[in-house]
Amino acid sequence: MASVSLKQVRKSFGHTEVVHGVDVSIDDGEFVVLVGPSGCGKSTLLRMIAGLEEITDGEIYIGDRLVNAIAPKQRDIAMVFQNYALYPHMTVFDNMAFSMKLAGRSKREQRERVDEAARILGLEEYLERFPRQLSGGQRQRVAMGRAIVRKPQVFLFDEPLSNLDAKLRVQMRTEIRELHQRLKTTSVYVTHDQIEAMTMADKIVVMNGGHVEQIGSPLDLYDYPANLFVAGFIGSPAMNFLHGSLVTTTSGRAVRLAPDCTLAAGPTEEPDGRKVVLGVRPEHLVINGPAAAGVEAEVIVTEPTGADTQVFCRMAGREVAAISRERHLFAPTTRIRLDVMEGKACLFDPETGQRL
Amino acid sequence: MRSQTLNRWLDNRNVLGLLFMLPAAAILLVFLTYPLGLGVWLGFTDAKVGRGGGWIGLENYQWLWEDSVFRLSIFNTFLYTVVASVIKFVLGLWLALLLNRHLPFKSFLRAIVLLPFIVPTVLSAIAFWWIYDAQFSVLSWTLVKMGLIDEYINFLGEPNLARASTIAANVWRGVPFVAICLLAGLQTISPALYEAAAIDGATPWQQFRNITLPMLSPIIAVVMTFSVLFTFTDFQLIWVLTRGGPINATHLMATLSFQRAIPGGALGEGAAIATAMIPFLLAAILFSYFGLQRRKWQQGGADK
Amino acid sequence: MAEKEQREGMHYLESLPRRWVTVYIPLLLFLFVLLFPFYWMGLTAFKPDAELLSSGGNPFWVMEPTLEHFRKLFIDTSYPEWMWNTVIISVVSTFVSLAASVFAAYAIERLRFKGSRQLGLAIFLAYLVPPSILFIPLATMVFQLGMFDSRWALILTYPTFLIPFCTWLLMGYFRSIPFELEECALIDGATRWQILTRIVLPLAVPGLISAGIFAFTLSWNEFIYALTFISASENKTVPVGVITELVEGDVYHWGSLMAGALVGSLPVAVMYSFFVEYYVAGMTGAVKE
């Protein structure tokens, strides 16, 4: 097992730079998720760690070893691909033993290691089958088994769950997590799905447009997003953003969204009159009856999910979402009032997008 | 240490690519590219069989230009190519549409249909030769028995009849190729499109006109390019059936080139005739190439 | 994985008589025309000369089938030698072309070295060069190389149309193998050579079969080179031998000609019947893109 560190890593294809100087350090045994919208450079970064793409500039270390010029097979890594990349003409056993065969390991060692991995993943019965005879979840397990048998320093996962249906995805998410707790191998996991990132990661690296936007633990990112991008990317439904300017009211600092429409902003050092973006997560908006405190809003649509109710409404000319544990059943155009829970508002600079 | 450097060297794409290309490139350069140039050069010489020729410039071409047989062969080649290709396209598309229907024994039918294309052309041409025989033709026999004609038809003996007969034989061989290729294209069209069209109220003809043809056009362009190329350069069928006769009425450029060069011994002149085919071939390739480009653009470049 | 639902489509709307007129009758006509020459070939091959040349009776059937034409073919002519020549030439040139094409196609499609795109295009153009414009210069080359009237003349020239065809076809097959498989093998520690032999080739087996049998058929059917480069009777291939040796002046031995055509078509027809799907895949694969 080993740490991984990326120092000012850049990648250009021809004249276009797609990764602009990324610094990430991953501790030994850590499970790190690279997350971001498609085209943000996360997969390219992973492929550079794997050695499948040349590093244009910067340095990548696995353990203490600089791996820039080292071939994939010598980096002591294993990778799980989005489409699993199982060799279709080999049985599950041969798929898992292929790397050991190439390395000239003894038949006995191959058997032992594959059996061990199969036991961990519950694949004992399927070793003689071919990939085409397996279900999606089983294929996924074989792909992981192939990675496990090599006992590598680092596991790399490239969107491994995106080909599975929703139910299996949740199940495999847990399995991968359990596996990591058991093996404690350093893992780098790429996904575009922020829920996967939130649920699986020790540490999340949010990427956008070839830059790292923020690095931190899942809840840190959720509670203290560094900028508008992270705030909007993490969490579903997304955080509400409301433009306005700071004022001081009798009950403390607030943001004025419209002439007589203000929402509490919590304590801040910024001066009155400063233009800001107020960010509020849907579950931090309190839904009140028409006579109570807060800002008036008009219901557009109510979506009960069973566990909670999402209410989409129009407030001060903007659409906002609120989530409530109560089972509201508002008819469209019902007038309600929304208020921000105390201390739950975030303020951002509208120009730079940075959190204030 | 040395094996390691060798390995790294072999893992380099450029080096390995060059190495892998070597056998194919060597064979093609020596036996395809070089002869292609040599053929053009021979066209400017008076080479004969067994004797290298000297440079005579455009003399062969001047001589050919005034040669009525050569001009006739150009006319024949075009007639043969255009008529046969059009018929092959129409019948091939029709057959493809029929085979694309909900049919019992579908794959068996498809296998049988392709048979004429698989069997050596020369050998099936012999069967046609026998079918077209002046005295024993089974076609004539049937027509006489049906009371449609009084005497046996001399299929290969009269210029226009011979042209029609050779075209018919060529169509017989070519239709399966066109049909099976177009069938493959038809099978890639999503049934959902037809279902959507049927719900939108399109008649079968409108479905054909507005869905089938546009979706099929890229593959039609390629298939017909191949078909035109094969027909234009056809040699075997004519050589077996008529050897260019009667009175050169069925001589194509390829058969004339062979006759002048090999039995006739005039290699230079034969090469000149063969070279004269190249501009027409290039025109056909370019035509379909640009036809394809437009199609890709029409469909948002998504057709594969 | 969601199971695909069964569908029958809208063909319930068509009445049976209508289907007969629009589908079955035209299809039967097509089949009749396409198959009749084969029937005729087979029938004639078994007909005694007396029946062939009599104008009475029903020409569509044979009264007293005979093997006389086959006997004549195999005893009185060099037909067995032509067969043997054709087999040797087809098999050798097919294997040579296939081997060269596998490497070329893999290099162009997967190694993506400098200039590979242009080479791919060049291969396609080479595929479009017809033998009828190459046979004259090739004849002079064959003569100068001292290969005239030998099998080598054909074994070395057939690859000129086989290699472009096979390479083009295999490029399509290689393209369909996911890149990730090769990348995964790279991480698993395989060299380029191991990737080719242990991953790519086993997966391209259907493509290799397609290319192989198609190349074999093309060589078996080749005519113009064999006609030009071979002159001695015992060196001829079947198509050339049948057409040049079985016709004596104006006397056509129709029975033997048809027997020769029938037997000469048999190997490819038999192979075809075993590998229909590969044939169709090969043919349509070569036309796509």
Side-chain angles (χ1 to χ4, degrees):
Chain A
M1 271 167 270
S3 60
V4 175
S5 72
L6 283 65
K7 294 187 177 156
Q8 279 299 307
V9 171
R10 291 171 189 276
K11 176 71 191 175
S12 309
F13 293 110
H15 293 294
T16 36
E17 194 172 81
V18 294
V19 174
H20 317 281
V22 166
D23 286 295
V24 177
S25 72
I26 297 165
D27 292 336
D28 191 1
E30 207 170 20
F31 196 105
V32 170
V33 175
L34 303 179
V35 67
S38 64
C40 70
K42 57 190 191 296
S43 282
T44 310
L45 208 56
L46 190 78
R47 291 167 60 82
M48 285 194 280
I49 300 175
L52 296 172
E53 298 284 351
E54 198 186 6
I55 299 157
T56 310
D57 195 25
E59 291 170 338
I60 294 183
Y61 291 88
I62 296 178
D64 302 328
R65 196 160 59 128
L66 179 66
V67 294
N68 281 35
I70 292 177
K73 57 184 165 193
Q74 283 145 2
R75 292 192 184 194
D76 203 4
I77 47 159
M79 185 156 169
V80 177
F81 291 83
Q82 180 171 3
N83 60 5
Y84 319 138
L86 301 181
Y87 309 122
H89 57 299
M90 296 184 195
T91 61
V92 169
F93 180 89
D94 289 334
N95 259 288
M96 286 163 71
F98 187 61
S99 60
M100 290 187 285
K101 256 182 208 152
L102 292 173
R105 299 291 170 80
S106 72
K107 280 260 184 296
R108 230 192 68 211
E109 192 184 351
Q110 292 179 22
R111 187 88 244 172
E112 275 170 11
R113 286 232 224 152
V114 171
D115 282 345
E116 189 195 339
R119 202 169 47 248
I120 294 175
L121 293 162
L123 285 169
E124 291 106 320
E125 297 163 45
Y126 305 108
L127 286 178
E128 297 315 312
R129 297 214 191 159
F130 286 93
R132 61 174 176 278
Q133 297 166 312
L134 301 178
S135 70
Q138 288 164 342
R139 287 180 206 187
Q140 175 61 54
R141 281 195 199 101
V142 176
M144 299 208 310
R146 200 166 54 178
I148 293 176
V149 293
R150 305 188 46 202
K151 303 203 167 146
Q153 304 257 25
V154 183
F155 280 139
L156 304 175
F157 298 89
D158 188 6
E159 308 226 11
L161 302 183
S162 54
N163 282 1
L164 297 175
D165 63 43
K167 203 174 158 194
L168 257 177
R169 196 148 55 206
V170 174
Q171 188 188 331
M172 290 308 296
R173 208 156 79 188
T174 320
E175 281 189 31
I176 293 179
R177 202 50 209 156
E178 276 173 11
L179 195 68
H180 177 254
Q181 278 160 7
R182 181 162 178 174
L183 302 174
K184 302 211 165 39
T185 308
T186 313
S187 303
V188 185
Y189 186 107
V190 161
T191 180
H192 63 271
D193 180 353
Q194 53 95 14
I195 294 187
E196 260 175 44
M198 291 294 287
T199 49
M200 300 176 78
D202 292 327
K203 185 156 89 186
I204 296 181
V205 178
V206 182
M207 291 189 67
N208 183 34
H211 292 282
V212 170
E213 295 280 354
Q214 190 174 1
I215 301 178
S217 75
L219 292 179
D220 269 353
L221 257 54
Y222 191 80
D223 292 338
Y224 308 104
N227 52 45
L228 279 172
F229 178 80
V230 177
F233 190 77
I234 302 282
S236 171
M239 187 184 259
N240 297 302
F241 294 126
L242 300 159
H243 290 259
S245 50
L246 280 173
V247 290
T248 309
T249 65
T250 47
S251 51
R253 303 299 300 276
V255 176
R256 173 174 286 143
L257 308 172
D260 40 42
C261 175
T262 53
L263 273 176
T268 170
E269 307 282 297
E270 300 291 326
D272 276 0
R274 191 193 201 293
K275 298 246 180 277
V276 292
V277 175
L278 175 70
V280 191
R281 296 216 176 266
E283 67 271 27
H284 298 149
L285 279 174
V286 186
I287 301 174
N288 293 323
V295 174
E296 192 178 68
E298 184 185 292
V299 173
I300 303 169
V301 138
T302 313
E303 293 179 353
T305 64
D308 49 29
T309 306
Q310 305 186 358
V311 180
F312 294 89
C313 38
R314 185 169 287 115
M315 180 174 81
R318 288 180 203 84
E319 273 187 34
V320 294
I323 294 183
S324 166
R325 278 283 172 194
E326 282 172 59
R327 293 199 168 176
H328 296 293
L329 271 176
F330 298 120
T333 74
T334 306
R335 301 207 162 259
I336 54 172
R337 293 187 86 83
L338 296 173
D339 206 355
V340 183
M341 281 183 200
E342 209 180 318
K344 295 294 189 185
C346 305
L347 293 176
F348 299 93
D349 184 321
E351 304 289 321
T352 62
Q354 295 301 311
R355 190 184 159 103
L356 297 173
Chain B
M1 208 50 217
R2 178 181 295 171
S3 76
Q4 219 169 28
T5 35
L6 183 71
N7 270 338
R8 170 152 304 178
W9 200 63
L10 281 179
D11 263 357
N12 179 308
R13 336 182 131 239
N14 288 331
V15 174
L16 202 63
L18 205 71
L19 217 59
F20 276 16
M21 281 309 296
L22 209 61
I27 294 179
L28 291 183
L29 282 178
V30 174
F31 290 104
L32 190 114
T33 315
Y34 170 69
L36 203 57
L38 183 65
V40 175
W41 184 78
L42 279 174
F44 295 109
T45 69
D46 57 355
K48 295 268 186 291
V49 168
R51 159 172 93 74
W55 180 268
I56 54 165
L58 288 171
E59 211 169 288
N60 281 328
Y61 293 96
Q62 278 163 357
W63 157 253
L64 285 172
W65 186 241
E66 280 152 29
D67 179 2
S68 62
V69 177
F70 175 68
R71 288 203 223 170
L72 183 63
S73 80
I74 295 186
F75 168 78
N76 288 337
T77 310
F78 271 87
L79 184 77
Y80 185 76
T81 308
V82 171
V83 175
S85 298
V86 169
I87 301 178
K88 274 189 272 196
F89 172 64
V90 174
L91 291 181
L93 183 57
W94 188 16
L95 183 54
L97 289 169
L98 289 175
L99 288 172
N100 198 33
R101 302 292 286 259
H102 199 85
L103 290 172
F105 314 116
K106 208 168 174 173
S107 53
F108 177 70
L109 281 176
R110 194 180 59 176
I112 290 210
V113 159
L114 200 52
L115 215 50
F117 181 72
I118 295 306
V119 165
T121 311
V122 170
L123 304 182
S124 57
I126 293 174
F128 272 92
W129 193 17
W130 173 222
I131 290 173
Y132 289 148
D133 187 84
Q135 287 174 41
F136 304 106
S137 167
V138 65
L139 285 179
S140 296
W141 184 90
T142 313
L143 293 173
V144 167
K145 287 287 169 187
M146 287 164 76
L148 292 174
I149 52 169
D150 296 329
E151 48 187 88
Y152 275 36
I153 302 169
N154 191 1
F155 285 103
L156 299 175
E158 287 172 41
N160 283 331
L161 260 177
R163 284 177 182 142
S165 306
T166 47
I167 287 174
N170 180 283
V171 168
W172 176 84
R173 192 189 126 76
V175 162
F177 170 76
V178 176
I180 299 299
C181 289
L182 293 186
L183 178 62
L186 283 175
Q187 284 166 344
T188 62
I189 303 178
S190 159
L193 290 178
Y194 293 103
E195 290 171 354
I199 289 167
D200 283 345
T203 63
W205 168 252
Q206 286 168 327
Q207 292 183 19
F208 175 75
R209 181 71 199 72
N210 294 305
I211 297 174
T212 312
L213 269 189
M215 295 296 285
L216 209 55
S217 56
I219 203 155
I220 289 178
V222 184
V223 171
M224 288 322 291
T225 308
F226 278 97
S227 181
V228 165
L229 282 179
F230 292 150
T231 317
F232 193 90
T233 59
D234 196 9
F235 169 82
Q236 324 192 6
L237 198 75
I238 300 292
W239 193 252
V240 173
L241 287 179
T242 64
R243 308 234 161 155
I247 35 174
N248 302 320
T250 57
H251 247 316
L252 304 183
M253 291 167 85
T255 52
L256 188 69
S257 153
F258 180 84
Q259 198 187 41
R260 297 270 163 94
I262 306 300
L267 286 178
E269 199 185 319
I273 298 175
T275 307
M277 290 162 71
I278 295 178
F280 298 120
L281 295 178
L282 278 180
I285 295 169
L286 287 180
F287 182 76
S288 85
Y289 179 77
F290 285 110
L292 276 178
Q293 292 278 309
R294 208 186 41 148
R295 290 302 170 191
K296 273 196 178 148
W297 166 75
Q298 276 181 342
Q299 305 190 351
D303 51 296
K304 259 265 161 152
Chain C
M1 272 167 287
E3 267 179 57
K4 207 155 186 194
E5 282 175 54
Q6 288 276 329
R7 280 188 194 176
E8 253 189 347
M10 290 169 287
H11 100 119
Y12 71 94
L13 288 171
E14 260 183 327
S15 65
L16 198 60
R18 194 184 146 84
R19 273 181 80 74
W20 268 101
V21 175
T22 58
V23 182
Y24 298 135
I25 293 178
L27 201 58
L28 286 175
L29 276 175
F30 265 113
L31 287 180
F32 176 76
V33 173
L34 289 177
L35 294 183
F36 179 75
F38 296 114
Y39 172 72
W40 200 234
M41 199 192 272
L43 191 74
T44 309
F46 292 102
K47 255 188 198 179
D49 280 334
E51 268 185 66
L52 276 176
L53 303 180
S54 84
S55 50
N58 180 359
F60 291 104
W61 196 239
V62 49
M63 296 304 148
E64 293 161 32
T66 171
L67 290 175
E68 176 58 23
H69 302 307
F70 291 93
R71 194 200 61 79
K72 183 175 178 311
L73 192 67
F74 282 99
I75 308 293
D76 298 349
T77 72
S78 311
Y79 197 83
E81 281 161 293
W82 305 336
M83 271 302 229
W84 181 235
N85 288 332
T86 321
V87 170
I88 297 242
I89 291 164
S90 303
V91 168
V92 175
S93 54
T94 296
F95 273 97
V96 169
S97 310
L98 211 51
S101 302
V102 163
F103 290 117
Y106 183 75
I108 292 174
E109 194 52 49
R110 280 309 164 93
L111 293 178
R112 305 236 166 228
F113 56 93
K114 270 190 190 142
S116 55
R117 283 178 59 90
Q118 287 77 2
L119 263 177
L121 190 67
I123 289 280
F124 181 65
L125 289 178
Y127 178 34
L128 297 179
V129 176
S132 27
I133 61 176
L134 285 182
F135 73 94
I136 296 173
L138 275 177
T140 66
M141 284 176 67
V142 160
F143 212 82
Q144 278 165 356
L145 295 171
M147 296 189 301
F148 187 74
D149 213 1
S150 90
R151 283 177 193 152
W152 282 108
L154 301 184
I155 289 175
L156 286 175
T157 49
Y158 284 3
T160 57
F161 54 89
L162 298 183
I163 289 180
F165 174 83
C166 294
T167 307
W168 190 248
L169 194 65
L170 288 172
M171 279 167 65
Y173 268 93
F174 289 160
R175 206 173 304 138
S176 71
I177 298 173
F179 260 107
E180 285 89 346
L181 285 185
E182 288 185 52
E183 291 179 340
C184 194
L186 265 183
I187 294 177
D188 275 346
T191 61
R192 279 276 166 201
W193 177 257
Q194 283 172 320
I195 291 176
L196 180 65
T197 54
R198 302 178 77 158
I199 308 288
V200 175
L201 282 187
L203 290 177
V205 164
L208 291 174
I209 296 179
S210 276
I213 55 177
F214 224 95
F216 180 83
T217 312
L218 286 176
S219 336
W220 189 277
N221 297 1
E222 206 288 327
F223 183 60
I224 193 166
Y225 291 167
L227 181 68
T228 313
F229 306 155
I230 303 292
S231 78
S233 173
E234 68 273 15
N235 290 337
K236 286 180 176 169
T237 60
V238 171
V240 177
V242 169
I243 200 72
T244 54
E245 305 268 328
L246 293 185
V247 183
E248 295 162 17
D250 280 346
V251 188
Y252 300 141
H253 301 285
W254 288 115
S256 311
L257 268 172
M258 290 302 136
L262 193 67
V263 176
S265 309
L266 229 45
V268 279
V270 168
M271 196 172 66
Y272 171 67
S273 68
F274 280 109
F275 294 103
V276 185
E277 290 310 315
Y278 294 99
Y279 255 105
V280 175
M283 202 175 71
T284 50
V287 168
K288 276 177 198 161
E289 289 159 71

